[in-house]
């Protein structure tokens, strides 16, 4: 207990804020999973009212004084100091913008997203462009307002919303590292795969209920606590809710169970992070996930590093076969593993394998930065996209539908988000290799469906850190190095060139 | 549009309040239907925070001044005036109590309810008594505080929480009317039933999924709009959510489908009322249900008046048979009707038929009033209960488990609620008879599963009135008389003595 009264007052305010945000998270989950379609306006009223209340708590005139007072008074331990720092960050993001700008941004994003839903299937970028221009201008204004308060560049201010302390300079360096080896590595992987017989396909259909049961079985194996979470269905899978009430979703395709299963494992990785956040700091900013890069590292560590590896597939393949009463050689672990590690350049990011995925992200990152700094006009976006695909992946999208119209992010106002996907992939490789080094039982555990050793390490070294340290500091402490591309490169070489 | 600025300011505040209450309603539904068991504390934080925010909006220092200003300024139409009156009522209830009393009440009720869950199955009233005494004292204090503001008696102030403007004097008169004929009528019904062959039982089991589909089919027939509502499962059935997002629940018993089916119809009656409330006043106090008596009238009108009658059973019996692939004479409409109108005095209120139900309620009403005014000590409650059962229903509970421990209400702090059940039953008969008189197509409609004529009348005459008029005024306008027992008596005589 500290005698820093201003700090204690802030803790009480942020606790209240966390409860409202928790309520919003459950309402958001309900909207995507349970809400009848005609109730959207009603829900909109509720979430808008709660959003305003949350903003009022954070931007109350006293909060600025309390922050300054708490910082001046001192007497805080390391966690409290980190908490105060995260309070300051949340306050800056909340108060940097005028209410008019927040409202204009929300309205423009909603309108543009609706237009995008129509324009994407019609391959109609032209009709969408005016909407996107409005969004882009407002995002730039948002970035500039936050940049002034944070003392960083406009793009870095946008990035900071998703990846605290994330900087374009770091990302440029990381992505340059990737570009130095990835195109060549991809070429070698493609040649190697072409020289081998293709894996045998698994014959469906795969009934939804059997898929659901298999997903639940695998979630239990990983250690997901169903007394504090659920698995449901939504059009776009996500992990929502709160650390003590984690709500995962997936969607099922009866022709292909791997999409749902790997999707469930991906979301379970996110969920395990949330559930493992430091309980003592549950309703405080420092008790939250560090940022989107580490969050994505946890989903990719589980899905890509652990569950698309031979050890786990050795455990899972017989269970898959049992779930769907499969027969034949296609269900052997070796074949299943081969199926789950096919590399194939394609137009669609969300369908990409882990070798080509970063190339999709690098393209988007370069384009969105150019848009923000004004080096690229929207008129030139489709052509720039297609040329970038040609250069990076060797394929040219035949339409904007599978080109610059495919992702919702920009049309929804989310610029600065894309790089966190690949930062997460790099961190996942780095953390997984550190975990394997630290505990020799982790890999044998996966082969018997025992994730306890893996999560014992992740809990202590990642989850329970919350937001107490920056991404690089956390990685340095747990892996011996800040975020880099080495571990990712080793991972790809081992899995795709040496196995 | 009025120039009464204070009134318009109040409308904005109550709109915000309604959004928070809507969010709380969805979170409450989630808690009972979807929430994992380990997430209760987290949800408690969320609902407590939202409850405090709602209370702050309502009890803000400006609200009292705005109410006085709006009342003085005038210039309001009839609906606005009624809205202002309901705002004042909400404000009185919210501000009559000190925060310390509200908190003490909430804590005592939670503790007592938890003790009740243990004591009820153990038939252990003695261990519960100290907890109930604390609750009772705080309820009395609550009633006294509200009574001072409302200018009514302590019990009437408690009643006013559930039935606005409800008064014990009116209830005494109504219940005296009932007692004048009900015991004798019950005797004659029992003799008549004893003289007839018993109805044939329907043979189960009745699979849950078939029950669910049948429930949904019947809800659709009634006119429930699934684009703005859902049917789910909970331990204790209820209707929750909001008028634009109505969330019904039921529970299924594979040995007896009638419980769930009639339960679903009962809740659908509540739901149709909510959904039919005046859309133009959606987020204002006057746009809400009038009170619990009218709310219960809508569930009982559908379940008891319409759906346990020959017309509807003629439509429903073949559908029941089809749903469960039933065979034999038991599935004929006449037999089903007889099954659904068996009268049998029993210990348990929630299992009671519509003839004996009011006798359960009258007993509880008398006892809770005596408790509140101090004429009955808790020590004497079990004996008073058992004697009351003997006098009213001719049976004596062998244990308190099926006696004064059976209902949660008192242990949860809800005194003043019970009479609204029977006020609702009387209102249901009165409204249904008025509807049948007003539109000759209503009853033939029920026989073909067409509820449009019935709900056309109920929408205009009940639902769309919202809280614009008092219960008696509304009944006077739509049925020609204030709430009374005549229609209920005619209904019972027709159904149980003349059919």
């Amino acid at each position: 207990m500290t005698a820093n009264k201003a700090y204690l007052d802030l803790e009480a305010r942020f606790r209240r804020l966390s409860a409202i945000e928790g309520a919003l998270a459950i309402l958001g989950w309900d909207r995507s999973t349970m809400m009848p379609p005609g109730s959207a306006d009603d829900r909109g009223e509720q979430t808008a009212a709660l959003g305003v209340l949350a903003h009022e708590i954070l931007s109350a005139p006293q909060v600025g004084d309390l922050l300054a007072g708490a910082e001046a008074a001192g007497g805080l331990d390391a966690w409290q100091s980190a908490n105060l720092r995260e309070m300051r960050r949340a306050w800056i993001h909340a108060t940097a913008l005028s209410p008019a700008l927040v409202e204009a941004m929300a309205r423009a994003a909603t309108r543009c997203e609706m237009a995008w839903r129509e324009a994407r299937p019609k391959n109609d970028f032209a009709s969408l462009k005016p909407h996107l221009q409005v969004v882009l201008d407002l995002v730039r204004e948002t970035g500039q307002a936050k940049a002034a308060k944070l003392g960083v560049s406009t793009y870095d201010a946008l990035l900071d919303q998703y990846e605290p302390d994330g900087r374009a300079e770091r990302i440029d360096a990381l992505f340059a590292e990737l570009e130095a080896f990835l195109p060549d590595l991809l070429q070698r992987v493609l040649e190697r795969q072409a020289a081998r017989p293709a894996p045998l396909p698994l014959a469906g259909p795969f009934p939804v209920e059997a898929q659901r049961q298999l997903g639940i079985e695998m979630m239990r194996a990983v250690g997901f606590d169903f007394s504090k979470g659920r698995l449901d269905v939504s059009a776009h899978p996500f992990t929502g809710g709160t650390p003590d009430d984690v709500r995962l979703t997936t969607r099922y395709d009866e022709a292909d169970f791997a999409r749902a299963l790997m999707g469930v494992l991906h979301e379970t990785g996110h969920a395990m992070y949330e559930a493992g956040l430091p309980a003592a700091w549950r309703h405080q900013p420092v008790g939250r996930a560090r940022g989107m890069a580490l969050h994505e590292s946890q989903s990719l560590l589980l899905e890509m590093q652990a569950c698309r590896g031979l050890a786990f597939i050795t455990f899972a393949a017989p269970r898959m076969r049992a779930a769907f009463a499969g027969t034949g050689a296609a269900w052997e672990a070796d074949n299943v593993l081969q199926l789950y590690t096919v590399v194939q350049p394609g137009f669609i990011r969300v369908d990409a394998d882990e070798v080509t995925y970063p190339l999709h992200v690098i393209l988007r990152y370069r384009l969105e930065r150019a848009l923000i700094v004004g080096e690229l006009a929207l008129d030139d976006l489709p052509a720039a996209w297609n040329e970038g695909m040609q250069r990076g992946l060797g394929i040219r999208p035949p339409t904007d539908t599978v080109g610059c119209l495919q992702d919702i992010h920009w049309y929804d106002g989310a610029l600065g988000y894309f790089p966190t996907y690949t930062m997460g992939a790099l961190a996942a490789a780095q953390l997984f290799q550190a975990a394997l080094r630290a505990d020799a039982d982790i890999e044998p555990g996966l082969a018997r469906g025992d994730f306890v050793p893996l999560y014992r390490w992740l809990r202590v070294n990642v989850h329970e850190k919350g937001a107490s340290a920056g991404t690089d500091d956390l990685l340095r402490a747990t892996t011996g190095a800040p975020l880099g591309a080495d571990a990712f490169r080793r991972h790809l070489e081992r899995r795709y060139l040496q196995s």
Side-chain angles (χ1 to χ4, degrees), chain A residues 228-280:
Chain A
K228 290 189 169 189
R230 296 177 51 95
L231 171 66
D232 294 278
V233 171
S234 70
H236 303 281
F238 65 94
T239 297
T242 72
D244 284 318
D245 191 355
V246 194
R247 308 270 173 119
L248 274 70
T249 73
T250 188
R251 62 184 158 195
Y252 300 103
D253 174 355
E254 296 220 322
D256 174 14
F257 73 87
R259 282 179 89 99
L261 181 61
M262 287 297 158
V264 163
L265 289 165
H266 182 95
E267 299 304 331
T268 302
H270 283 304
M272 294 296 286
Y273 186 21
E274 286 288 317
L277 289 168

Side-chain angles (χ1 to χ4, degrees), chain A residues 82-106:
Chain A
N83 196 30
L84 184 56
R85 185 195 64 217
E86 295 305 311
M87 289 172 173
R88 166 73 70 184
R89 186 197 309 280
W91 181 79
I92 289 175
H93 279 288
T95 57
L97 311 181
S98 70
L101 177 55
V102 172
E103 204 195 317
M105 184 73 240

Side-chain angles (χ1 to χ4, degrees), chain A residues 411-459:
Chain A
Y411 305 99
D412 202 29
L415 285 92
Y417 191 104
F418 277 123
T420 66
Y421 289 118
T422 289
M423 294 167 81
L426 304 187
Q430 198 166 326
L431 286 165
F432 192 60
Q433 288 172 27
L436 295 180
R437 282 195 304 272
D439 184 347
D441 195 36
I442 287 177
E443 190 142 32
L446 299 180
R448 57 179 194 267
D450 175 9
F451 286 74
V452 170
L454 175 60
Y455 275 100
R456 196 190 296 131
W457 191 89
L458 287 172
R459 277 276 146 105

Side-chain angles (χ1 to χ4, degrees), chain A residues 116 119-125 347-348 397-407:
Chain A
W116 171 75
R120 181 167 75 152
K122 291 188 194 153
N123 188 33
D124 183 7
F125 182 76
F347 300 120
I348 304 298
T399 64
D400 295 334
T401 300
V402 297
C404 68
L405 287 173
Q406 69 182 271
D407 290 315

Side-chain angles (χ1 to χ4, degrees), chain A residues 104-121 124-139 378 381 404-405 407-415:
Chain A
M105 184 73 240
R107 219 174 319 112
T110 301
R111 209 170 299 136
C112 186
E113 188 198 312
M114 281 169 58
W116 171 75
R117 289 190 191 282
E118 281 204 24
R120 181 167 75 152
D124 183 7
F125 182 76
S127 79
L128 197 50
K129 214 179 50 185
H131 295 289
L132 182 56
Q133 188 66 57
V134 176
V135 167
L136 184 60
D137 292 343
L138 290 167
V139 168
L378 283 187
L381 176 61
C404 68
L405 287 173
D407 290 315
I408 193 174
H409 301 58
W410 294 341
Y411 305 99
D412 202 29
L415 285 92

Side-chain angles (χ1 to χ4, degrees), chain A residues 15 20 32 89 96 125 140 148 162 252 259 384 386 402 485 499:
Chain A
R15 183 170 192 93
I20 298 171
S32 300
R89 186 197 309 280
F125 182 76
R140 197 183 293 117
Y162 310 108
Y252 300 103
R259 282 179 89 99
N386 294 345
V402 297
S499 65

